[in-house]
């Protein structure tokens, strides 16, 4: 599934887009001594695509992708681990999201607020899809 499928165009009406916005967590992120010693805020945004035709047809949670379960696992992973690089944290969160079989494509953006003196935040965005994994 190409990256553009994560946009707002809905050519395939059975595909659902789940957007988890501004998930605020605290973790150890960075390479400076104060970053290693103290937890810092990170803000996570995720876009997840999955085929929702059965969820729509049957209106049962068992047929839907449970975004609460995904979010709980992301929270636990981020809060329980230490990261030197924002890139690594973003990749690990994306891999966790993609570990759910129903997920066809996902994009994860993680912001590190106040990482630069004159900027609100610095962020890294990574994307993945089942199609990309088959081709790779």
């Amino acid at each position: 599934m190409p990256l553009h499928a994560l946009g707002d165009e809905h050519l395939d009406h059975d595909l659902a887009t789940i957007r988890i916005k501004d998930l605020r967590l605290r973790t150890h992120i960075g390479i400076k001594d104060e970053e290693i010693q103290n937890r810092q805020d990170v803000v996570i945004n995720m876009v997840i695509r999955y085929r929702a035709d059965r969820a729509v047809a049957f209106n049962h949670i068992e047929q839907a992708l449970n975004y609460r379960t995904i979010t709980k696992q992301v929270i636990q992973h981020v809060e329980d681990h230490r990261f030197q690089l924002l890139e690594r944290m973003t990749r690990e969160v994306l891999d966790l999201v993609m570990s759910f079989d129903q997920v066809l494509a996902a994009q994860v953006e993680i912001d590190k607020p106040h990482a630069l003196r004159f900027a609100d935040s610095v962020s890294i965005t990574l994307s993945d899809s089942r199609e990309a994994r088959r081709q790779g």
Side-chain angles (χ1 to χ4, degrees):
M1 174 174 293
L3 180 60
H4 65 68
L6 295 177
D8 289 329
E9 54 279 342
H10 294 284
L11 301 175
D12 186 338
H13 296 289
D14 289 334
L15 289 182
T17 301
I18 298 171
R19 295 181 193 278
I20 299 169
K21 300 177 183 181
D22 299 330
L23 178 62
R24 289 172 171 77
L25 304 175
R26 292 186 58 78
T27 192
H28 291 94
I29 174 74
I31 57 173
K32 295 188 231 170
D33 285 339
E34 79 176 46
E35 293 173 323
I36 294 169
Q37 299 301 320
N38 301 307
R39 288 182 182 267
Q40 296 176 71
D41 294 331
V42 292
V43 180
I44 301 174
N45 288 284
M46 296 178 276
V47 178
I48 303 167
R49 299 294 307 268
Y50 84 103
R51 191 157 301 286
D53 52 336
R54 295 183 59 79
V56 169
F58 297 107
N59 197 30
H60 290 287
I61 186 64
E62 298 82 25
Q63 304 299 327
L65 179 63
N66 192 329
Y67 54 82
R68 177 173 279 155
T69 300
I70 294 172
T71 303
K72 283 181 178 181
Q73 287 188 20
V74 168
I75 291 168
Q76 181 177 4
H77 185 81
V78 170
E79 290 184 342
D80 290 351
H81 289 83
R82 293 176 175 263
F83 307 92
Q84 289 185 347
L85 299 176
L86 199 52
E87 290 88 344
R88 177 60 180 251
M89 184 189 329
T90 306
R91 181 80 246 176
E92 288 184 19
V93 170
L94 181 59
D95 287 346
L96 193 154
V97 171
M98 291 300 297
S99 73
F100 288 81
D101 291 337
Q102 286 178 276
V103 174
L104 298 177
Q107 185 175 64
V108 173
E109 178 183 32
I110 302 182
D111 283 81
K112 185 177 174 184
H114 313 296
L116 295 174
R117 184 173 171 199
F118 296 111
D120 290 338
S121 71
V122 171
S123 71
I124 296 291
T125 303
L126 293 172
S127 302
D128 202 352
S129 70
R130 297 274 173 233
E131 184 176 302
R133 287 178 176 216
R134 281 193 296 266
Q135 293 173 357

